[in-house]
Amino acid sequence: MEIERINDNTVKFYISYLDVEERGFSRDEIWFNRDKSEELFWEMMDEVNEEADFVMEGPLWIQVQAMDKGLEVTVTRAQLTKDGQKLDLPDDIEERRKLFGSEDAAAPEFDEFEPVFEEPDVKKMDYTFNVVQVEDLVPLARRLEYVPIESAIYHFENKYYLYISFDDLLHSEEDVKNYISIISEYLTASPLTIHRLEEYGKPIFKEDALPNVLHYFG
């Protein structure tokens, strides 16, 4: 994780999706599971406090920017007081959540703490599949020849992987189910993420993989 101290009250840090996974969290968890996203956030803030001497006093304003390979998080510490006292954050995650939650009527009057990682405006539905040989993809590529999907092929640890990404602006959930059903006739799903493949794998086709398979092997 890369940490940059902007000023006395603001710190910025970047964490890759690979680092997120190595910490025991999945990408889906940090987008859609509030408990997990907050747990990851406070874990990172503890690290920021140790490395950048950023003391977590009072409410925090958090801005998260989703990037291709990770997250850029900017945290600003607000210097608010109540009854002349600073608002300190408790050490326990549950107590911190109560401090920022909207359900506690006695909570300090400042902006409600929203889920740390907001869902992106455009969802991309990603899937990875095991491939024996690249040329084996020709029949599948023919069946999906006119389907507008993102595709890539990587070689990683002596195996090939096909990455497929659907955009919900172009495809309905029913469309995706139908296409995944077709792909599953030829391939088996893999738990590997595109971020791990990009980080450690060798790209065969970084984009337009299925059209390229037809072009070179069809």
Side-chain angles (χ1 to χ4, degrees):
M1 188 171 73
E2 301 175 10
I3 302 172
E4 177 185 359
R5 185 68 180 266
I6 305 301
N7 53 42
D8 288 343
N9 296 318
T10 302
V11 67
K12 179 186 293 185
F13 53 93
Y14 171 83
I15 183 169
S16 69
Y17 291 123
L18 179 60
D19 192 358
V20 169
E21 292 174 358
E22 289 178 346
R23 291 169 184 261
F25 301 88
S26 71
R27 188 175 180 182
D28 284 343
E29 283 177 335
I30 65 173
W31 287 128
F32 305 115
N33 186 316
R34 176 172 180 143
D35 290 344
K36 289 294 186 179
S37 66
E38 290 185 13
E39 182 181 346
L40 173 62
F41 173 76
W42 292 118
E43 179 181 307
M44 293 188 296
M45 286 305 299
D46 287 339
E47 186 173 329
V48 169
N49 183 32
E50 292 179 5
E51 296 189 16
D53 192 26
F54 187 80
V55 181
M56 294 176 288
E57 293 181 339
L60 304 175
W61 273 260
I62 304 143
Q63 180 181 5
V64 180
Q65 181 178 357
M67 307 179 75
D68 289 341
K69 296 185 179 181
L71 301 168
E72 183 179 84
V73 184
T74 302
V75 180
T76 299
R77 178 179 54 203
Q79 298 298 304
L80 297 184
T81 61
K82 187 176 182 180
D83 297 328
Q85 300 295 321
K86 285 188 177 182
L87 299 174
D88 295 329
L89 292 179
D91 294 330
D92 183 73
I93 289 177
E94 289 300 324
E95 292 301 315
R96 288 171 176 173
R97 185 180 302 136
K98 291 177 183 178
L99 178 62
F100 285 96
S102 60
E103 296 178 358
D104 187 354
E109 297 179 356
F110 47 79
D111 290 353
E112 178 185 352
F113 180 70
E114 296 295 337
V116 176
F117 303 111
E118 296 294 340
E119 181 180 347
D121 293 335
V122 178
K123 301 176 187 174
K124 284 193 175 183
M125 294 161 279
D126 302 351
Y127 301 86
T128 306
F129 298 89
N130 297 300
V131 177
V132 178
Q133 294 294 335
V134 175
E135 53 266 34
D136 293 341
L137 292 172
V138 170
L140 175 62
R142 285 186 179 137
R143 290 188 65 178
L144 300 179
E145 184 173 2
Y146 301 107
V147 179
I149 56 178
E150 295 182 23
S151 58
I153 298 174
Y154 287 83
H155 188 254
F156 174 64
E157 293 186 345
N158 298 318
K159 297 180 181 179
Y160 293 97
Y161 296 90
L162 172 68
Y163 166 75
I164 295 288
S165 178
F166 299 96
D167 192 321
D168 70 349
L169 294 180
L170 300 176
H171 306 286
S172 67
E173 290 186 10
E174 191 64 29
D175 289 335
V176 174
K177 289 180 181 179
N178 291 335
Y179 296 140
I180 291 300
S181 178
I182 292 174
I183 297 172
S184 297
E185 293 178 20
Y186 300 89
L187 307 172
T188 57
S190 168
L192 282 180
T193 66
I194 183 59
H195 312 291
R196 187 168 181 81
L197 292 174
E198 288 178 336
E199 190 81 16
Y200 298 107
K202 176 183 178 182
I204 306 302
F205 297 116
K206 294 189 69 172
E207 57 185 20
D208 300 325
L210 293 179
N212 276 309
V213 165
L214 274 182
H215 177 75
Y216 290 103
F217 301 98

